[in-house]
Each structure stands twice: as C-alpha cells, then as structure tokens.
Amino acid sequence: MDVEPEHPRPVRHHDHGTWLVAFTGRMLVVCPRCGGRALVVPRPGSAPPAHAGSLLFHPRRLSCAACGAVADREAGQRGGALVGAVVGGTEDPFFRRPLWLQTRCAGRILWAYDEAHVDALAGYVGARLRERHASPTRAMFARLPAWMKSAANREQVLAGLASLRALSARSAPADRSDAAHERGDRPRHHGSVLFRGGPH
C-alpha cells in the first residue's frame, strides 16, 4: 500500500497581525434543530463588510442544509450605535451555538471556526520559528493560550487540528464531536460599538 508523503512543515511563520474576527466570515456550528452541521455566514443580500472589523456588526444567517433550519440575526443597538459581537470561546459569537469544530486536546478543548481557521492555526503551531507582528494587541496568534504555543504540545495540537480538518468534511448529527456542547465560556463583552449616520 502506498503512503502519501507527509506535507513539510513550515520552518518560519510570519504573524501579520490577523485578528480572530477575520475568520468569522464563515463559521461551522451545531444546528439548533437537528444537531448536525450548520453554517453561519453574512446574510445574503447585505452590503459586503468594509473591512474585517466590520464583520462584528454584520447581519448574519444560520442555515442547515440537512434539516432546512434558517435563522437571521441583526446587530444589537445602543442608542444610535450598533453593538458588535464578541469573538472567542467555543460558541459562535452571533447565534451562540456550539462550534462544530471542537475536539479534546492536551486536556483542553481545541476549537476553530472553519477550515481556513484550522489551516492558519496549523501553520503557526507547526512552525519552528515564529516571527511576531510589531503590534500584537489584537493579533490572533499573540493571544493564543500558552498550551497551544508550547513546543511540548506541538504534536498533540497538530493531531487535534488534523481531527478538526477531517470533522469539517462531515455534517451528520452522528458525526458531532463529543466536545461540541455548550460551555458558557463566551468572553465578556468589551462594549464594541459602531456609530453610524444612517440605516445599516
């Protein structure tokens, strides 16, 4: 039996300061109706986001191809401002559904929003040399927990990310990870608002 060669790991990783919110354009979640894989995306027909940060305020749609469940969400309002979602944790920041891509890893829960997020994490974790962005305040990689960054956990985390990548191709309720459940670990709201001059 032929074995495909292992993909070479990147020697160097350049952190360009990408925010976690940049990966919220497409999120795989647990469907509230059937428990299979549903999709959260910007609501069709809405104006495209002006930049990554505006994804926090963008109208969203949750849809499940298997059972037909559909839900829409608008950003909350505070006076004349839109209130942004808060990213992070094992729930999607819009409908508060458990993320589909979750697995147990190194005694913790490893999660991602979609395949692109998994690939970005794998590129960082697998690199032997990591170059940090000059301004890491909101940068996703700089804010990863220490256990994911540790060289001692590298192989476990890469194996966990490979499991998430495989899980992204499955969608039936029976395929749901035993880790994909509510935990109430959403981050506290930091009060992000978007002041606007007219209708959204």
Side-chain angles (χ1 to χ4, degrees):
M1 179 171 104
D2 292 333
V3 178
E4 290 188 11
E6 196 175 316
H7 293 293
R9 291 182 189 165
V11 174
R12 186 186 301 264
H13 180 274
H14 300 275
D15 178 5
H16 298 291
T18 303
W19 295 7
L20 177 59
V21 68
F23 294 97
T24 64
R26 179 178 181 274
M27 308 176 77
L28 307 179
V29 302
V30 175
C31 176
R33 181 189 292 174
C34 72
R37 186 191 69 197
L39 189 64
V40 173
V41 296
R43 193 177 64 207
S46 57
H51 51 80
S54 64
L55 285 166
L56 294 170
F57 307 92
H58 211 72
R60 297 286 170 149
R61 173 163 293 174
L62 181 153
S63 60
C64 178
C67 73
V70 176
D72 287 328
R73 177 195 180 275
E74 296 276 351
Q77 295 191 32
R78 186 184 304 156
L82 297 175
V83 179
V86 183
V87 295
T90 59
E91 297 176 356
D92 89 86
F94 304 102
F95 295 93
R96 300 188 178 183
R97 295 299 304 154
L99 298 175
W100 180 257
L101 299 183
Q102 296 188 60
T103 190
R104 302 182 192 281
C105 178
R108 296 168 174 84
I109 300 298
L110 180 63
W111 55 267
Y113 289 152
D114 73 346
E115 303 92 332
H117 190 193
V118 170
D119 290 342
L121 291 172
Y124 175 83
V125 173
R128 301 293 174 175
L129 179 62
R130 299 165 183 166
E131 295 186 355
R132 177 184 279 192
H133 187 262
S135 177
T137 307
R138 296 186 181 181
M140 176 181 72
F141 298 116
R143 298 167 69 89
L144 288 176
W147 68 269
M148 285 185 66
K149 298 179 182 183
S150 170
N153 291 331
R154 179 180 284 120
E155 297 304 324
Q156 290 184 73
V157 176
L158 288 173
L161 290 168
S163 295
L164 294 185
R165 192 177 289 106
L167 185 60
S168 71
R170 300 195 293 267
S171 60
D175 296 326
R176 178 178 176 178
S177 166
D178 68 345
H181 295 281
E182 292 87 349
R183 285 188 186 79
D185 64 349
R186 284 175 55 80
R188 289 187 305 169
H189 203 286
H190 48 63
S192 62
V193 293
L194 175 66
F195 293 95
R196 54 185 185 161
H200 183 64

